[in-house]
Amino acid sequence: MRYNERDLERLHKELYRILAEIIRVCEVLDIPYFIQGGSAIGALYYKGIIPWDDDIDIGMMRADYERFLREAPAHLAPEYFLEWFGSEPNTPFYFAKVKRNNTLFVEEIWRHLDIHHGIFVDIFPYDRIPDNALLEKLHRAEAKFWINCFMAKEVWLWSHCGACQIDKPLPKSWISCAAIRCATSLLSRKAIYRIMNSVLGRYNSCNTRRVNIVRMPKDQILRENIEHSVKSEFGGMMVSLPRNVEEYLRHHYPNLRPTLPVEEQINHAPYKLSFDTTEQEQ
C-alpha cells in the first residue's frame, strides 16, 4: 500500500504515543536509551519523525536492553505488548519491539507469520565491537550468520536449500544457505538464540571504543557519545540522543542532508494498516 497524507500523520501520532510510553517506563526503571538511525536524523533536522518516514528506532546498550526485556512488561500500560523471543516465540526479529494492541502494521515480508502485527517502535541492542578492523569484520559475519539462523527457524527467506516463504527471495549464496540449513537442522531455536546473543555480546567485557548494532556495518557510535548522551526535542518530547549526533550520522549516512528528492524519500509502507481493529470487529 501507499500512504495518504492523513494516514501518515495519524501513524506519526501513534508512534509518538508508543515512544512516550517507552520513555516513561525507562524513566521509572532508570534505564538509559537513545534515539538512533533515521529517527536521529529526524531529531537533528525536524525535531521529530522525518516527514515521509514511518518508524522510530531506539537503541540501548546490551545490559540496559536485557533489563528492559525483564522489567518493562510489569510497567507498560495494558495497551502495549513487548515483543521479543521470550514473549513471542514465533518472532523473526532478534531485537525487540513495543507494539500497540488493537492496531495493525502488517509488513509485506512477514504477513504470513502468526505474530502480533501491531504498530510498533523498534528497540535495538547495542554491543561493543572490536577496534581491530579484521576482528570487527569476522565478528559481524558470525553475528549475521546466527541472526539468519534465528530467522530461518521461523521463515525461510532465500531461494536455495528450501522453499522460500516470502514473495521475493533475499539474496544469499547456495553455500551460505546450506550452512544455515545445517545449523537449523541440528539446533533448537532456543539454542540458536543463546548462541546468537553470545556472539553479539562477545566483546562487551572489553574496553573497546565503539558500539554497534553488530550486523549493521555503518551504524557505529563512539561509546563515550552514548555514555554522555544529550537531550533533544522530538515530537514535542525531550529524548536522549548520542552526543555529537551529526558525526555519528555522517558515518552512517555520508550524504546526510535535511531534504531528499521525492524519489529518495523511502519508507516502509505496510501490506495492511489499521489504527483500531476493534472497530472492524463491531
Side-chain angles (χ1 to χ4, degrees):
M1 64 166 284
R2 290 181 179 273
Y3 293 112
N4 58 52
E5 187 175 337
R6 180 177 175 274
D7 280 348
L8 191 55
E9 181 180 348
R10 191 172 178 186
L11 178 59
H12 286 184
K13 290 180 180 178
E14 291 289 345
L15 293 171
Y16 287 137
R17 182 184 299 183
I18 299 170
L19 176 63
E21 178 65 6
I22 294 171
I23 291 173
R24 183 190 69 80
V25 171
C26 284
E27 289 175 348
V28 167
L29 297 174
D30 194 24
I31 293 178
Y33 73 92
F34 52 93
I35 298 292
Q36 61 100 39
S39 299
I41 295 176
L44 178 64
Y45 290 131
Y46 299 100
K47 305 301 181 185
I49 301 171
I50 297 172
W52 59 86
D53 205 357
D54 57 0
D55 67 357
I56 294 177
D57 296 327
I58 291 176
M60 294 180 183
M61 291 303 299
R62 174 65 65 176
D64 301 316
Y65 172 84
E66 296 291 349
R67 192 157 75 84
F68 187 87
L69 297 184
R70 292 193 305 270
E71 300 180 23
H75 295 273
L76 285 168
E79 62 263 36
Y80 299 98
F81 173 68
L82 176 59
E83 180 189 60
W84 65 289
F85 178 55
S87 64
E88 180 92 278
N90 295 335
T91 182
F93 310 113
Y94 70 96
F95 52 92
K97 295 172 179 275
V98 173
K99 298 188 170 184
R100 190 153 188 264
N101 296 327
N102 300 318
T103 65
L104 285 177
F105 189 97
V106 184
E107 297 174 274
E108 177 72 31
I109 191 172
W110 312 119
R111 63 189 174 95
H112 298 300
L113 295 184
D114 183 19
I115 59 175
H116 191 304
H117 285 287
I119 295 171
F120 61 86
V121 167
D122 289 326
I123 304 179
F124 290 96
Y126 272 68
D127 296 285
R128 297 188 186 191
I129 56 174
D131 295 326
N132 178 277
L134 177 59
L135 290 179
E136 177 193 340
K137 186 175 181 179
L138 293 172
H139 185 213
R140 182 168 294 112
E142 188 177 357
K144 289 176 71 173
F145 172 76
W146 288 109
I147 289 170
N148 284 329
C149 290
F150 179 74
M151 291 191 296
K153 289 293 283 190
E154 186 59 33
V155 57
W156 193 257
L157 304 171
W158 310 283
S159 55
H160 305 295
C161 302
C164 184
Q165 295 169 267
I166 59 175
D167 293 337
K168 296 180 180 179
L170 301 182
K172 193 166 290 295
S173 70
W174 185 92
I175 292 175
S176 295
C177 288
I180 293 168
R181 179 60 78 187
C182 181
T184 55
S185 298
L186 294 173
L187 297 168
S188 69
R189 200 154 196 252
K190 187 175 182 179
I192 290 173
Y193 183 78
R194 186 174 62 250
I195 294 169
M196 175 185 71
N197 282 336
S198 176
V199 171
L200 288 168
R202 175 175 295 152
Y203 294 94
N204 282 342
S205 61
C206 301
N207 188 29
T208 65
R209 296 177 60 248
R210 296 166 298 154
V211 299
N212 196 194
I213 303 174
V214 176
R215 69 181 296 268
M216 308 290 285
K218 296 181 179 180
D219 205 1
Q220 301 176 10
I221 310 176
L222 289 174
R223 184 160 51 88
E224 63 187 33
N225 289 337
I226 296 297
E227 294 170 349
H228 302 283
S229 62
V230 298
K231 290 293 184 181
S232 175
E233 183 181 346
F234 189 84
M237 297 171 276
M238 296 304 292
V239 302
S240 295
L241 274 178
R243 188 182 63 178
N244 299 322
V245 67
E246 187 169 356
E247 174 187 298
Y248 144 62
L249 288 172
R250 287 198 180 280
H251 184 274
H252 194 169
Y253 308 95
N255 297 319
L256 181 70
R257 56 198 190 279
T259 59
L260 292 176
V262 173
E263 62 272 15
E264 295 182 33
Q265 294 179 9
I266 299 171
N267 56 38
H268 317 85
Y271 171 76
K272 189 173 184 179
L273 176 67
S274 173
F275 297 103
D276 189 353
T277 58
T278 60
E279 292 179 354
Q280 301 170 4
E281 296 169 358
Q282 295 174 356

